[in-house]
Amino acid sequence: MSFIADLHIHSHFSRATSRDCTLEGLYRWAQLKGVTVVGTGDCTHPDWFAELRETLTPCGNGLYKMKNDTAKIVDATIPESCRGPVYFMITGEISSIYKRDNQVRKVHSIILLPDLDSAETLNNKLDAVGNIRSDGRPILGLDPRVLLEMLLDINSDAFLIPAHIWTPWFSMLGSKSGFDSLEACFGDLSEHIFAVETGLSSDPPMNWRVSDLDKVALVSNSDLHSPSNLARNANVFHCDPGFTTIRTALQRKDSARFGGTIDMFPEAGKYHFDGHRKCTVCLEPEDSLAHSGMCPVCGKPLTLGVLHRVVALADRPKGTRPSGARPHEYIIGLADILAELYDCGAKTKKVGRAYHDLLASCGPELFILRQMALDNVQIDNMHPELPEAIFRLRNGNVCRTPGYDGAYGRITLFGNNETAGAGIS
């Protein structure tokens, strides 16, 4: 079978997250989106871990499901067209802030474990290192290499994925406090890293420019702080859902089992271009280099974005596609598409009604965006330009305003004063 997985999320115990980041909220939105496997996130937080113990039950394949009594209550709120199985993988994220080679390093890591008992053992060890209660994503003075060693000692099937590897401030290859290679970060344990997360501000083609990443699978996850953002980035698998099947597909870069990624347009990420938000200065890498990395308005240092860092480490030209590269496709959230069509906010009641009407009539969001036939669509009260908008999305015909220095970018499907054309044939 084929299914979609989003393995990097956060609970309501992480800072700046929605109160709806509960197991029930994640379970509900997984069905609305069409996601089969969801990371629990934040498995190191004692209170969230207690909720996992209370609410989930093992499936026997290294994944967990919602206990029946709770699942039935949530299922009653889901349209029949969207109902489907949802499994949880035990996951968390660690923020490592530490010194190595006389430099402060800040690296985020996703940890993935096959059972709650292993997670509990890890939590007990991490509790001796630092405070795991203050945040769902704890900040620890722990080298990621040591974290990986600790994880493997507890359960050799567990694995670690470096998170959003290009983010300037907190990542393995980040320009501010990262490294120049996977080996420099993980040393003699590098062979145990078989997947890396591209992050919201980069996409597979950008990563293909760095040959050092050919040996690992490129995965994509939402890193959500609100459950409605589930699967804004996600992964496609062609196998039975299970911890071992997912792990094996990634470790072997198995083209028959790992079907690649679903990605936001990288320009939508908040660290794609270089810039200085206070001065509303947004620059391509070549332009920021011409200004010696300084803001042309105020003279202060620019925040160098993901694209700049990729260019700095690249040993291949733009457009290179290495052998073994997995497929990828771009999406824009359905609510964002409807907001553009109706010329209002994505969180307005008007968009909310249209969104849920579409799901009730057609099925989960990702099915609508990726697979729904667009010819002769007949849905009551549907915006007449929606099929054209989805057609443009699938063909990459979009307008891009890049994000920079912490400000999200904007992707639109119609230019100013433009009306939808007859693109569908």
Side-chain angles (χ1 to χ4, degrees):
M1 66 174 291
S2 296
F3 65 90
I4 294 169
D6 185 351
L7 303 176
H8 182 184
I9 69 97
H10 289 286
S11 75
H12 59 101
F13 289 104
S14 279
R15 295 176 185 174
T17 53
S18 166
R19 64 183 180 182
D20 296 326
C21 285
T22 62
L23 287 168
E24 292 83 357
L26 294 168
Y27 177 77
R28 174 175 178 265
W29 276 99
Q31 293 184 74
L32 296 178
K33 295 282 185 173
V35 177
T36 301
V37 179
V38 182
T40 62
D42 297 357
C43 69
T44 56
H45 193 280
D47 292 337
W48 183 241
F49 184 84
E51 291 190 25
L52 301 182
R53 283 281 197 201
E54 176 67 24
T55 310
L56 301 180
T57 186
C59 299
N61 58 0
L63 302 179
Y64 288 73
K65 65 180 180 180
M66 190 85 70
K67 289 181 179 177
N68 287 337
D69 290 347
T70 307
K72 287 179 181 178
I73 294 171
V74 181
D75 287 343
T77 70
I78 307 297
E80 290 281 354
S81 58
C82 295
R83 292 184 186 177
V86 176
Y87 304 101
F88 290 91
M89 182 183 290
I90 308 304
T91 66
E93 183 181 14
I94 305 296
S95 175
S96 295
I97 301 181
Y98 62 106
K99 269 195 172 184
R100 194 201 291 180
D101 301 327
N102 294 318
Q103 294 186 46
V104 174
R105 309 288 185 172
K106 299 178 182 179
V107 178
H108 285 192
S109 304
I110 308 165
I111 52 174
L112 307 95
L113 303 104
D115 57 76
L116 285 169
D117 289 343
S118 296
E120 185 171 22
T121 302
L122 176 65
N123 291 351
N124 290 335
K125 289 182 176 294
L126 295 179
D127 195 24
V129 174
N131 185 358
I132 62 173
R133 293 168 174 79
S134 62
D135 192 356
R137 180 187 59 203
I139 299 172
L140 301 174
L142 186 65
D143 190 310
R145 185 213 164 275
V146 177
L147 172 64
L148 175 58
E149 185 175 37
M150 187 182 297
L151 190 66
L152 295 174
D153 284 345
I154 291 168
N155 192 315
S156 60
D157 290 330
F159 60 106
L160 183 152
I161 297 177
H164 40 70
I165 60 170
W166 298 102
T167 301
W169 302 100
F170 299 102
S171 71
M172 181 180 76
L173 299 179
S175 61
K176 296 293 185 181
S177 53
F179 298 86
D180 288 345
S181 69
L182 188 155
E183 286 75 14
C185 184
F186 289 96
D188 59 323
L189 295 183
S190 296
E191 64 182 27
H192 295 283
I193 302 295
F194 48 80
V196 299
E197 184 184 62
T198 55
L200 302 181
S201 293
S202 85
D203 61 3
M206 291 168 62
N207 288 265
W208 293 341
R209 296 188 61 183
V210 181
S211 62
D212 186 52
L213 298 178
D214 288 354
K215 57 182 172 288
V216 296
L218 302 177
V219 301
S220 192
N221 300 294
S222 67
D223 193 5
L224 69 80
H225 287 227
S226 173
S228 61
N229 285 329
L230 188 71
R232 58 184 174 183
N233 277 14
N235 308 282
V236 179
F237 291 92
H238 307 301
C239 55
D240 291 330
F243 184 90
T244 300
T245 54
I246 290 173
R247 184 187 189 281
T248 301
L250 294 176
Q251 186 174 27
R252 297 178 179 175
K253 293 183 64 179
D254 187 341
S255 60
R257 295 185 180 185
F258 179 43
T261 57
I262 300 168
D263 298 277
M264 291 169 42
F265 289 90
E267 293 87 353
K270 57 184 180 180
Y271 290 107
H272 186 69
F273 265 18
D274 304 341
H276 188 199
R277 183 165 43 163
K278 186 176 181 180
C279 296
T280 64
V281 170
C282 176
L283 300 173
E284 295 189 50
E286 293 79 4
D287 294 327
S288 64
L289 287 171
H291 288 91
S292 302
M294 308 303 286
C295 176
V297 175
C298 70
K300 294 182 179 179
L302 296 166
T303 296
L304 303 182
V306 165
L307 182 59
H308 190 117
R309 182 63 171 163
V310 170
V311 170
L313 296 184
D315 55 359
R316 290 174 173 152
K318 182 179 179 180
T320 300
R321 183 186 179 95
S323 62
R326 305 306 304 127
H328 75 286
E329 58 187 289
Y330 298 113
I331 61 168
I332 301 172
L334 180 58
D336 292 316
I337 294 174
L338 293 170
E340 181 180 356
L341 293 176
Y342 288 113
D343 192 24
C344 61
K347 296 183 179 181
T348 59
K349 290 181 179 179
K350 185 173 187 177
V351 167
R353 285 193 298 268
Y355 178 89
H356 288 289
D357 286 348
L358 279 168
L359 266 59
S361 298
C362 303
E365 177 178 346
L366 290 175
F367 169 78
I368 293 171
L369 296 177
R370 301 171 62 237
Q371 297 171 311
M372 183 179 75
L374 300 179
D375 296 338
N376 302 314
V377 178
Q378 300 291 333
I379 303 171
D380 291 343
N381 300 319
M382 183 189 74
H383 194 289
E385 294 179 353
L386 180 63
E388 171 70 11
I390 296 175
F391 178 82
R392 292 185 178 205
L393 169 63
R394 293 178 184 176
N395 288 276
N397 184 15
V398 301
C399 305
R400 313 180 192 207
T401 302
Y404 68 99
D405 195 19
Y408 281 107
R410 178 169 168 76
I411 310 297
T412 56
L413 293 154
F414 300 101
N416 293 334
N417 302 318
E418 183 185 8
T419 57
I424 300 172
S425 60

